[in-house]
Amino acid sequence: MSTLLDIRELSVDFTTRKGTLQAIRDVTLSIETGETVCLVGESGSGKTVASKAIMRLIDHENGRITGGSLLLDGTDLAGLPEAELRRIRGKRMAMVFQEPMAAFDPVFTIGQQIQETILQHEKVSKRDARERAARLLERVGIPEPELRLKQYPGELSGGMLQRAMIAMALSGGPDLLIADEPTTALDVTIQAQILRLLKELQAELGMSILLITHDLGIAAEIADRVVVMYAGEIVEEAPASELFRLPRHPYTRGLLRSVATLDTIRGTKLHSIEGSIPSLAALPQGCRFHPRCPFATERCTQEAPALTGSGERRSACWHAEELVQAEGWMASVAPAGSGTTAASGEKVILSAAPEGGVEESLWGRGETEEAGAAEPGALFTVEHLKKYYPVHGGGIGRAKKLIRAVDDVSFTIRKRETFGLVGESGSGKSTLGRVLLQMERATAGRVLFDGKDLTNLGGRELRNARQHMQTIFQDPYGSLDPRWKIGDSIAEPLKVHGQGQRSAADISRRVSELLELVGLDPSWAQRYPHEFSGGQRQRIGIARAIALNPRFILADEAVSALDVSVQAQIINLLQDLQQKLGLTYMFIAHGLQVVRHLSDRIGVMYLGKLVEIAPSESLFLAPAHPYTQALIEAIPQTTPRQDQPAGRLEGEIPSPANPPSGCRFHTRCPFATDRCRQEEPALRQLDSGHHAACHFAL
């Protein structure tokens, strides 16, 4: 193979209000024709900056290349004027962005935007451009391409929009496709489809792929080589099979050990890299990873190691050779319980409770039982719950359409257990959670909380009940008022629910207690949300959620947007708090490995229905519903399996406004029969605690 992209000692600076910051330093890597290279690392490691530098998009973001070369098939992109770059972008190289809604202009149709790209690089008529756009949409697996060309970006689902983004990127027939986190916000099934599509297109077109991701399972699934970045530098590079078999840098090792896999012992503490990636304005001397590295020596704090090695294996660590030969280098060991990192100053306390124990603190549980006491039975009992939304515009004389978001769901959540809820986007998971907490009123059915019917409560009674039920949201930054100090945000529930009758000193003491409990420095109460990392903000959200000592917490995609190591820290914290406070969780997520690790029982939703409920281990070892099996097969593994593609669940979830007859999964099920198309299966018990809604349970 010949070298398509050759990057040598690339450095990029950004001009900010605080002065010039170096985002990446001396990055050297190459991509061969037809090869897939994955850039991995935590947020802030420089992955996206490197990809935008290749496209020269940093020029429009106050960035500039300050050193090195960028050779694309012999042409140095670093010194090209903008006019020549426009001719190369889209034609020789193209980019698929993480957020397709941000990449598409919402006021133009999908067809107009793809055709514009074709017309810019090809001397063809508008009619030919439209026909080619339709063929591209068909090639990337979008049904009814002629219809989709007329639609606007907001009318397509997330998976379909990402496919349209890939079609637009391929419209010029590029030699290099750069994909920046193209599957981060997608369900595992759609993610598997997108990865499979990229590999098929690569084989068909002979193009090279540079894929940026923080998901090591995706890298194992698709990469020929993996490049690991940390704080703007490459710290390791190796063929995918070798890197996953034997990482040579402590950072790579830490990332791999932080991943919750199907082999991880459920309920145990996950390994995590304590602390967070350093700020560009305060990079440490010597090896940039040394403040977080358990193997750092005095030399590491003083001298920066060079990226060295032989062949395709390179690493930047003074002690790589001795570490990989040391006993236990790849052993799975429990993470440290606490400590303070010089990198972030984040004080991680996962085992210490306030003096005297949580139950003896100022803000006790009042009428509820002591946290350590046994509470047998169900905390939530859900009976035939329905939540329908009317669709406007049906016309006079026509039956009003309804979106059946939750359609006749019954289950229980036991006291002090974690009930996991999984399913694709549009299955009704988040709606079910909101109705459970009465953030939205049910259309029909009952929700009993410790025997009391919440659906009949209103006003003060409902408000009093809600203090026992709290939420941890997916986006911690969006759930915190940016104008409030975090201490004020944490104190708000105390004031809203009458705890404000206490003195200001008592409230301040409770806020400090909560910050310490979630592993943050109590003195940070006077800071604002933007001063914290994503993981720290999620800890703030958790502190706010437990402020009133609730009995139940709904965690709705609470870790899905976090890097793998930060995700492990938050999961460990949630487990620790559950043991200390006697909490009951409903954990909603599309990352099935994480759900398995946390949950005692798991419910699987599809198009408003619960199709399977089972103990966590039973569900993964012996799934009874074809949909559950397809979700599990689609999970990316950290063992490279390019010859064993992920599960092939085709298509997307149907519209809840027009669900299929019979079994709602029959349109995508490989085992469907006429009975499945005509008769809806009931959720029936198969074994102790294991229920499934399938005529032919596996």
Side-chain angles (χ1 to χ4, degrees), residues 162-442:
Q162 193 61 279
R163 289 172 182 271
M165 181 78 243
I166 294 172
M168 188 160 72
L170 295 176
S171 61
D175 301 313
L176 173 65
L177 181 67
I178 301 173
D180 186 4
E181 300 278 10
T183 62
T184 297
L186 302 179
D187 301 310
V188 288
T189 52
I190 306 302
Q191 175 179 275
Q193 292 177 23
I194 296 297
L195 294 179
R196 190 164 61 246
L197 172 63
L198 288 174
K199 292 300 286 184
E200 290 173 357
L201 291 169
Q202 181 180 41
E204 180 181 317
L205 304 174
M207 65 183 177
S208 302
I209 296 176
L210 176 63
L211 189 139
I212 292 95
T213 183
H214 65 256
D215 190 326
L216 295 170
I218 290 176
E221 194 84 32
I222 197 172
D224 298 307
R225 279 189 298 127
V226 178
V227 176
V228 184
M229 291 192 71
Y230 183 81
E233 297 179 334
I234 293 176
V235 297
E236 185 163 5
E237 177 185 358
S241 57
E242 293 185 29
L243 183 130
F244 285 96
R245 179 181 62 83
L246 185 65
R248 298 178 65 84
H249 196 283
Y251 179 58
T252 310
R253 173 182 182 263
L255 290 176
L256 287 171
R257 295 172 72 216
S258 298
V259 177
T261 69
L262 297 182
D263 297 322
T264 306
I265 299 174
R266 194 183 66 79
T268 59
K269 289 287 182 69
L270 292 173
H271 174 83
S272 65
I273 307 173
E274 300 300 343
S276 58
I277 205 158
S279 164
L280 294 178
L283 293 171
Q285 186 180 351
C287 172
R288 293 182 177 181
F289 184 60
H290 86 257
R292 304 172 69 190
C293 181
F295 309 104
T297 64
E298 185 66 25
R299 185 182 187 186
C300 303
T301 65
Q302 301 296 325
E303 301 177 49
L307 189 66
T308 59
S310 58
E312 294 182 310
R313 289 227 66 166
R314 300 186 296 160
S315 61
C317 177
W318 291 120
H319 310 294
E321 293 301 326
E322 56 193 270
L323 286 174
V324 296
Q325 295 176 26
E327 184 179 354
W329 172 248
M330 290 304 293
S332 177
V333 295
S338 64
T340 303
T341 66
S344 64
E346 179 180 354
K347 187 178 181 184
V348 181
I349 302 174
L350 296 179
S351 57
E355 187 175 348
V358 172
E359 292 76 26
E360 298 175 16
S361 68
L362 173 66
W363 309 85
R365 284 180 171 263
E367 298 177 2
T368 61
E369 296 179 25
E370 191 171 299
E375 289 185 31
L379 181 64
F380 269 102
T381 301
V382 179
E383 300 176 349
H384 304 290
L385 192 66
K386 298 179 181 181
K387 179 59 182 178
Y388 298 165
Y389 298 95
V391 178
H392 300 291
I396 298 174
R398 296 183 183 179
K400 184 180 289 185
K401 275 193 173 184
L402 296 171
I403 294 177
R404 300 170 183 268
V406 178
D407 198 7
D408 198 10
V409 166
S410 300
F411 68 103
T412 61
I413 301 177
R414 299 165 188 158
K415 295 174 181 177
R416 290 185 173 82
E417 80 165 339
T418 298
F419 185 87
L421 193 62
V422 300
E424 295 169 287
S425 297
S427 61
K429 308 186 301 296
S430 294
T431 302
L432 176 58
R434 289 195 299 271
V435 175
L436 207 64
L437 269 60
Q438 299 301 295
M439 291 188 230
E440 295 192 40
R441 290 294 192 175

Side-chain angles (χ1 to χ4, degrees), residues 24-234:
I24 59 175
R25 182 179 74 175
D26 294 338
V27 167
T28 296
L29 67 91
S30 62
I31 302 177
E32 306 296 313
T33 301
E35 183 183 31
T36 299
V37 173
C38 275
L39 269 180
V40 302
E42 295 169 288
S43 298
S45 61
K47 308 184 303 294
T48 297
V49 172
S51 67
K52 287 186 174 181
I54 296 169
M55 296 287 291
R56 288 280 305 277
L57 297 176
I58 58 166
D59 298 15
H60 309 285
E61 300 175 353
N62 292 327
R64 60 191 179 91
I65 296 173
T66 56
S69 60
L70 277 168
L71 299 179
L72 179 66
D73 204 13
T75 301
D76 192 353
L77 303 175
L80 286 184
E82 182 63 27
E84 290 189 47
L85 282 170
R86 282 199 296 268
R87 286 194 287 269
I88 291 176
R89 292 192 198 113
K91 184 65 178 175
R92 300 295 310 281
M93 59 180 180
M95 193 162 184
V96 177
F97 297 93
Q98 178 177 352
E99 290 289 344
M101 272 302 291
F104 279 108
D105 191 321
V107 301
F108 293 100
T109 66
I110 295 294
Q112 287 172 324
Q113 296 183 66
I114 297 177
Q115 290 170 65
E116 180 187 20
T117 307
I118 296 171
L119 292 169
Q120 184 177 352
H121 297 288
E122 303 285 346
K123 293 182 179 180
V124 296
S125 66
K126 288 185 178 181
R127 180 177 178 179
D128 289 342
R130 183 177 182 82
E131 290 176 355
R132 184 169 170 180
R135 289 197 301 271
L136 282 167
L137 290 182
E138 185 176 21
R139 179 61 195 88
V140 298
I142 293 181
E144 302 177 290
E146 290 291 345
L147 171 64
R148 305 303 178 187
L149 287 175
K150 301 174 185 176
Q151 291 184 311
Y152 291 88
E155 297 180 87
L156 272 62
S157 67
M160 204 174 289
L161 200 60
Q162 193 61 279
R163 289 172 182 271
M165 181 78 243
I166 294 172
M168 188 160 72
L170 295 176
S171 61
D175 301 313
L176 173 65
L177 181 67
I178 301 173
D180 186 4
E181 300 278 10
T183 62
T184 297
L186 302 179
D187 301 310
V188 288
T189 52
I190 306 302
Q191 175 179 275
Q193 292 177 23
I194 296 297
L195 294 179
R196 190 164 61 246
L197 172 63
L198 288 174
K199 292 300 286 184
E200 290 173 357
L201 291 169
Q202 181 180 41
E204 180 181 317
L205 304 174
M207 65 183 177
S208 302
I209 296 176
L210 176 63
L211 189 139
I212 292 95
T213 183
H214 65 256
D215 190 326
L216 295 170
I218 290 176
E221 194 84 32
I222 197 172
D224 298 307
R225 279 189 298 127
V226 178
V227 176
V228 184
M229 291 192 71
Y230 183 81
E233 297 179 334
I234 293 176

